[in-house]
Amino acid sequence: SLTALPAAQLTGSLPAISGASLTGIVNEAGTDAFCAGSQSTWVAVSDSAVLIMDNDSADGRYDTDGTYNTGTYKFTASHAGVYMFWYSVMTGQSDASNGFGFLKNSSKLRMTESSNSHFSMHEADSGDHIQTGFVVVPLGTDDTMAVCASSEGDYYGQKSCWGGCRLK
C-alpha cells in the first residue's frame, strides 16, 4: 500500500475534493449573533421580570441566525457552546435603586454573593443613568438567555438594548 508520496511527484489533474459529505461540523464563533432593543418608553419591572426588547430588525439591530424571539424577549442557543452576552439599560425615572442581570432558562445567573444576582446595581440616586452588564457563559442546545430585573425598578426601552453571540 502507498503510505507516502512526495508532493513534487504529484502531476496532472487531481480530483476535486468535496466537503459535502462531512458531518458534525458547526460554524462557531460569531454565529447566533443578535442585538435587540425596544420602542417602549418608561417600563416598570418587578424583580426577575424579563425586559421587553422586541425589536431586532431596525435601527442597527439584527438577528443573524433567527435565534432571538421578539415575543418572549429571549435568545435560544442553536448549538451547545460558549456564548457572550451584554446589555446597556437606561434607568432612573425617580427610582432610588435599580438592578439588572441575566436569566438563563428560568433562573437568574448568580455569579456573585449578591442574593439578588445583580450584574449591575445603582443605589441612592434617582437620576437617569445607563447600567451595563457582560457575561461569558456555557449554554447547551436550546438553553435560553434574557435580561431581567434583579430588583424592582424602571427602564427606558428606547435607550436600552442587549445582544450576544456564540464564541466557541
Side-chain angles (χ1 to χ4, degrees):
S1 99
L2 181 62
T3 58
L5 180 64
Q9 291 184 6
L10 293 175
T11 60
S13 297
L14 297 174
I17 298 173
S18 170
S21 63
L22 297 176
T23 60
I25 296 176
V26 176
N27 200 2
E28 291 186 2
T31 61
D32 293 348
F34 75 99
C35 175
S38 177
Q39 299 301 316
S40 302
T41 55
W42 286 105
V43 179
V45 290
S46 59
D47 183 19
S48 301
V50 173
L51 274 57
I52 297 170
M53 302 281 186
D54 57 1
N55 178 345
D56 65 357
S57 60
D59 302 322
R61 298 173 183 137
Y62 54 89
D63 184 3
T64 62
D65 298 285
T67 52
Y68 186 74
N69 187 317
T70 57
T72 63
Y73 324 118
K74 294 182 178 184
F75 163 86
T76 302
S78 63
H79 296 92
V82 177
Y83 290 79
M84 179 275 305
F85 298 97
W86 57 270
Y87 64 78
S88 175
V89 177
M90 182 176 180
T91 185
Q93 195 186 24
S94 301
D95 281 341
S97 66
N98 287 287
F100 300 96
F102 293 99
L103 190 70
K104 179 179 176 182
N105 296 319
S106 59
S107 300
K108 287 187 209 174
L109 281 182
R110 185 174 177 191
M111 295 184 170
T112 67
E113 293 303 314
S114 166
S115 62
N116 288 350
S117 303
H118 300 303
F119 271 72
S120 63
M121 180 70 187
H122 191 81
E123 291 185 299
D125 179 4
S126 60
D128 296 348
H129 54 277
I130 299 285
Q131 290 188 39
T132 59
F134 178 89
V135 68
V136 174
V137 63
L139 296 179
T141 302
D142 296 327
D143 278 349
T144 62
M145 289 290 291
V147 176
C148 67
S150 58
S151 64
E152 185 177 298
D154 298 296
Y155 71 98
Y156 194 74
Q158 290 178 353
K159 295 185 178 180
S160 300
C161 58
W162 84 291
C165 69
R166 184 169 185 219
L167 298 177
K168 178 179 172 213

